[in-house]
Amino acid sequence: MRGLSQRVRAMKPSATVAVNARALELRRQGVDLVALTAGEPDFDTPEHVKEAARRALAQGKTKYAPPAGIPELREALAEKFRKENGLAITPDQTIVTVGGKQALFNLFQAILDPGDEVIVLAPYWVSYPEMVRFAGGVPVEVETLPEEGFVPDPERVKRAITARTKALVVNSPNNPTGAVYPREVLEALARLALEHDFYLVSDEIYEHLIYEGEHFSPGQLAPEHTITVNGAAKAFAMTGWRIGYACGPKAVIKAMADVSSQSTTSPDTIAQWATLEALTNQEASRAFIEMAREAYRRRRDLLLKGLSEIGLKAVRPNGAFYVLLDTSPFAEDEVKAAERLLEGGVAVVPGTDFAAFGHVRLSYATSEENLKKALERFARVLQRV
């Protein structure tokens, strides 16, 4: 046996997936644990979406789909991107993928050559740099600061641009910080993409989970340079259905579909028909999104108030469902802090793989009862320390 490839040996597994799996296993073993780990809505998929899946099954819509997705869903996506994001998109500029993660993975495979640089804004979602490396690219980190609300400084980004820069990844609302980037910042980043001729990868998976501020899609300013990535997981509580989607220049979208044709062939057909219902039954879907968003807002406020009352610091997030907690009161580093909190009955994700050093990520996509219990346990661990 000659062993595994260098690519696979160099790739780190997802820290968030690993920590959540550990928390679930501890719960299965009977450990009394509050898990604030999962980047996953705790609501069930809306009933009208599940009913659409049942109809598709009854109608025998169980065959292979085209690599870029069923035509009906691509048409609905073009309409969604036009109406909600202000993007002049046609169906052949859209693609449906196995989750937003595959859209990003296929994109980097499609656009990167060995040595190409991709700017990622730290803290970042753990998979961005690993996907870039797997495609032969080089991730270049540009720091965002807690005292600036984790909003990127376009001048700092500009200084990181080189002749090898192929793309910049932007994620607003942001995982793990919850930051919502102001329109003027996104416009400045779009202008950099135009001026220096690189791709702007705009991950907008949390676009419907904004509590203060507004969402802006930078593809409006740089349509031929921007690939907008999204999915059904967060807005419609469809994480396990594994449907992502993206839009952008035709040549890039076709290349992404070519990658799919040689890997997954296409996303699950039944899940695509369910997603079509989520996108086109706007009244029912809007009611669900508004309900979930208000629940997350209440939970965020409860969590921030409780953390403050026990003397812990966190930057107020304006979107998504995460809080980055300063771990200096618990331990000398974020890994040790996460271990102490786990011993105290709360599972959190160390900020290490997010490049959020000195922080842990808390997900408030859980019940208010769980959040109150977690706060009590934070206080107890803090007293012991």
PDB file of all heavy atoms in Angstrom, residues 11-20 101 125-127 130 353:
ATOM      1  N   MET A  11      -5.198  18.091   4.347  1.00  0.00           N
ATOM      2  CA  MET A  11      -6.495  18.685   4.684  1.00  0.00           C
ATOM      3  C   MET A  11      -6.880  18.364   6.120  1.00  0.00           C
ATOM      4  O   MET A  11      -6.846  17.215   6.549  1.00  0.00           O
ATOM      5  CB  MET A  11      -7.579  18.181   3.728  1.00  0.00           C
ATOM      6  CG  MET A  11      -8.978  18.666   4.080  1.00  0.00           C
ATOM      7  SD  MET A  11     -10.247  18.142   2.898  1.00  0.00           S
ATOM      8  CE  MET A  11     -10.104  19.425   1.662  1.00  0.00           C
ATOM      9  N   LYS A  12      -7.283  19.408   6.847  1.00  0.00           N
ATOM     10  CA  LYS A  12      -7.778  19.218   8.210  1.00  0.00           C
ATOM     11  C   LYS A  12      -9.278  18.963   8.165  1.00  0.00           C
ATOM     12  O   LYS A  12      -9.991  19.587   7.385  1.00  0.00           O
ATOM     13  CB  LYS A  12      -7.499  20.467   9.058  1.00  0.00           C
ATOM     14  CG  LYS A  12      -6.027  20.735   9.317  1.00  0.00           C
ATOM     15  CD  LYS A  12      -5.840  21.881  10.302  1.00  0.00           C
ATOM     16  CE  LYS A  12      -6.314  23.199   9.726  1.00  0.00           C
ATOM     17  NZ  LYS A  12      -6.035  24.349  10.639  1.00  0.00           N
ATOM     18  N   PRO A  13      -9.786  18.065   9.015  1.00  0.00           N
ATOM     19  CA  PRO A  13     -11.242  17.879   9.084  1.00  0.00           C
ATOM     20  C   PRO A  13     -11.904  19.116   9.667  1.00  0.00           C
ATOM     21  O   PRO A  13     -11.270  19.909  10.369  1.00  0.00           O
ATOM     22  CB  PRO A  13     -11.402  16.666  10.009  1.00  0.00           C
ATOM     23  CG  PRO A  13     -10.156  16.656  10.837  1.00  0.00           C
ATOM     24  CD  PRO A  13      -9.059  17.202   9.957  1.00  0.00           C
ATOM     25  N   SER A  14     -13.193  19.284   9.365  1.00  0.00           N
ATOM     26  CA  SER A  14     -13.929  20.447   9.861  1.00  0.00           C
ATOM     27  C   SER A  14     -14.016  20.412  11.378  1.00  0.00           C
ATOM     28  O   SER A  14     -14.544  19.464  11.969  1.00  0.00           O
ATOM     29  CB  SER A  14     -15.342  20.472   9.269  1.00  0.00           C
ATOM     30  OG  SER A  14     -16.137  21.424   9.931  1.00  0.00           O
ATOM     31  N   ALA A  15     -13.512  21.466  12.024  1.00  0.00           N
ATOM     32  CA  ALA A  15     -13.538  21.539  13.486  1.00  0.00           C
ATOM     33  C   ALA A  15     -14.959  21.633  14.013  1.00  0.00           C
ATOM     34  O   ALA A  15     -15.299  21.029  15.036  1.00  0.00           O
ATOM     35  CB  ALA A  15     -12.720  22.734  13.958  1.00  0.00           C
ATOM     36  N   THR A  16     -15.806  22.370  13.326  1.00  0.00           N
ATOM     37  CA  THR A  16     -17.175  22.545  13.807  1.00  0.00           C
ATOM     38  C   THR A  16     -17.943  21.233  13.734  1.00  0.00           C
ATOM     39  O   THR A  16     -18.699  20.887  14.650  1.00  0.00           O
ATOM     40  CB  THR A  16     -17.909  23.631  13.002  1.00  0.00           C
ATOM     41  OG1 THR A  16     -17.762  23.346  11.602  1.00  0.00           O
ATOM     42  CG2 THR A  16     -17.337  24.998  13.277  1.00  0.00           C
ATOM     43  N   VAL A  17     -17.761  20.499  12.636  1.00  0.00           N
ATOM     44  CA  VAL A  17     -18.428  19.199  12.511  1.00  0.00           C
ATOM     45  C   VAL A  17     -17.925  18.243  13.588  1.00  0.00           C
ATOM     46  O   VAL A  17     -18.694  17.524  14.223  1.00  0.00           O
ATOM     47  CB  VAL A  17     -18.203  18.608  11.102  1.00  0.00           C
ATOM     48  CG1 VAL A  17     -18.715  17.173  11.035  1.00  0.00           C
ATOM     49  CG2 VAL A  17     -18.900  19.471  10.055  1.00  0.00           C
ATOM     50  N   ALA A  18     -16.609  18.255  13.822  1.00  0.00           N
ATOM     51  CA  ALA A  18     -16.019  17.340  14.802  1.00  0.00           C
ATOM     52  C   ALA A  18     -16.511  17.642  16.217  1.00  0.00           C
ATOM     53  O   ALA A  18     -16.865  16.731  16.973  1.00  0.00           O
ATOM     54  CB  ALA A  18     -14.498  17.426  14.739  1.00  0.00           C
ATOM     55  N   VAL A  19     -16.542  18.918  16.593  1.00  0.00           N
ATOM     56  CA  VAL A  19     -16.976  19.287  17.944  1.00  0.00           C
ATOM     57  C   VAL A  19     -18.451  18.973  18.138  1.00  0.00           C
ATOM     58  O   VAL A  19     -18.862  18.460  19.184  1.00  0.00           O
ATOM     59  CB  VAL A  19     -16.683  20.778  18.218  1.00  0.00           C
ATOM     60  CG1 VAL A  19     -17.318  21.222  19.522  1.00  0.00           C
ATOM     61  CG2 VAL A  19     -15.182  21.023  18.259  1.00  0.00           C
ATOM     62  N   ASN A  20     -19.267  19.248  17.124  1.00  0.00           N
ATOM     63  CA  ASN A  20     -20.683  18.942  17.252  1.00  0.00           C
ATOM     64  C   ASN A  20     -20.911  17.442  17.359  1.00  0.00           C
ATOM     65  O   ASN A  20     -21.758  16.980  18.143  1.00  0.00           O
ATOM     66  CB  ASN A  20     -21.457  19.507  16.059  1.00  0.00           C
ATOM     67  CG  ASN A  20     -22.957  19.473  16.286  1.00  0.00           C
ATOM     68  OD1 ASN A  20     -23.454  19.938  17.298  1.00  0.00           O
ATOM     69  ND2 ASN A  20     -23.679  18.901  15.343  1.00  0.00           N
ATOM     70  N   LYS A 101     -21.758  24.291   0.719  1.00  0.00           N
ATOM     71  CA  LYS A 101     -20.362  23.859   0.808  1.00  0.00           C
ATOM     72  C   LYS A 101     -19.861  23.335  -0.532  1.00  0.00           C
ATOM     73  O   LYS A 101     -18.742  23.635  -0.955  1.00  0.00           O
ATOM     74  CB  LYS A 101     -20.227  22.787   1.893  1.00  0.00           C
ATOM     75  CG  LYS A 101     -18.806  22.359   2.182  1.00  0.00           C
ATOM     76  CD  LYS A 101     -18.734  21.399   3.365  1.00  0.00           C
ATOM     77  CE  LYS A 101     -18.815  22.137   4.685  1.00  0.00           C
ATOM     78  NZ  LYS A 101     -18.557  21.245   5.854  1.00  0.00           N
ATOM     79  N   TRP A 125     -15.105  31.231   8.288  1.00  0.00           N
ATOM     80  CA  TRP A 125     -15.648  29.878   8.374  1.00  0.00           C
ATOM     81  C   TRP A 125     -14.513  28.901   8.100  1.00  0.00           C
ATOM     82  O   TRP A 125     -13.709  29.094   7.180  1.00  0.00           O
ATOM     83  CB  TRP A 125     -16.770  29.724   7.362  1.00  0.00           C
ATOM     84  CG  TRP A 125     -17.408  28.369   7.338  1.00  0.00           C
ATOM     85  CD1 TRP A 125     -17.843  27.645   8.405  1.00  0.00           C
ATOM     86  CD2 TRP A 125     -17.707  27.605   6.166  1.00  0.00           C
ATOM     87  NE1 TRP A 125     -18.385  26.454   7.968  1.00  0.00           N
ATOM     88  CE2 TRP A 125     -18.309  26.406   6.609  1.00  0.00           C
ATOM     89  CE3 TRP A 125     -17.515  27.811   4.797  1.00  0.00           C
ATOM     90  CZ2 TRP A 125     -18.733  25.410   5.726  1.00  0.00           C
ATOM     91  CZ3 TRP A 125     -17.938  26.833   3.912  1.00  0.00           C
ATOM     92  CH2 TRP A 125     -18.541  25.647   4.384  1.00  0.00           C
ATOM     93  N   VAL A 126     -14.452  27.851   8.893  1.00  0.00           N
ATOM     94  CA  VAL A 126     -13.277  26.983   8.910  1.00  0.00           C
ATOM     95  C   VAL A 126     -12.963  26.338   7.556  1.00  0.00           C
ATOM     96  O   VAL A 126     -11.812  25.984   7.284  1.00  0.00           O
ATOM     97  CB  VAL A 126     -13.432  25.877   9.975  1.00  0.00           C
ATOM     98  CG1 VAL A 126     -13.502  26.482  11.376  1.00  0.00           C
ATOM     99  CG2 VAL A 126     -14.671  25.013   9.714  1.00  0.00           C
ATOM    100  N   SER A 127     -13.961  26.174   6.691  1.00  0.00           N
ATOM    101  CA  SER A 127     -13.740  25.431   5.449  1.00  0.00           C
ATOM    102  C   SER A 127     -13.116  26.254   4.332  1.00  0.00           C
ATOM    103  O   SER A 127     -12.574  25.671   3.380  1.00  0.00           O
ATOM    104  CB  SER A 127     -15.068  24.830   4.956  1.00  0.00           C
ATOM    105  OG  SER A 127     -15.530  23.834   5.850  1.00  0.00           O
ATOM    106  N   GLU A 130      -9.286  25.580   3.823  1.00  0.00           N
ATOM    107  CA  GLU A 130      -9.038  24.184   3.471  1.00  0.00           C
ATOM    108  C   GLU A 130      -9.474  23.892   2.041  1.00  0.00           C
ATOM    109  O   GLU A 130      -8.798  23.159   1.305  1.00  0.00           O
ATOM    110  CB  GLU A 130      -9.753  23.259   4.459  1.00  0.00           C
ATOM    111  CG  GLU A 130      -9.198  23.322   5.866  1.00  0.00           C
ATOM    112  CD  GLU A 130      -7.704  23.057   5.905  1.00  0.00           C
ATOM    113  OE1 GLU A 130      -7.251  22.075   5.278  1.00  0.00           O
ATOM    114  OE2 GLU A 130      -6.981  23.843   6.547  1.00  0.00           O
ATOM    115  N   ASP A 353      -9.601  27.210  14.703  1.00  0.00           N
ATOM    116  CA  ASP A 353      -9.685  26.973  13.268  1.00  0.00           C
ATOM    117  C   ASP A 353     -10.447  28.061  12.523  1.00  0.00           C
ATOM    118  O   ASP A 353     -10.473  28.078  11.289  1.00  0.00           O
ATOM    119  CB  ASP A 353     -10.321  25.609  12.994  1.00  0.00           C
ATOM    120  CG  ASP A 353      -9.381  24.462  13.348  1.00  0.00           C
ATOM    121  OD1 ASP A 353      -8.190  24.725  13.591  1.00  0.00           O
ATOM    122  OD2 ASP A 353      -9.830  23.298  13.382  1.00  0.00           O
TER     123      ASP A 353
END
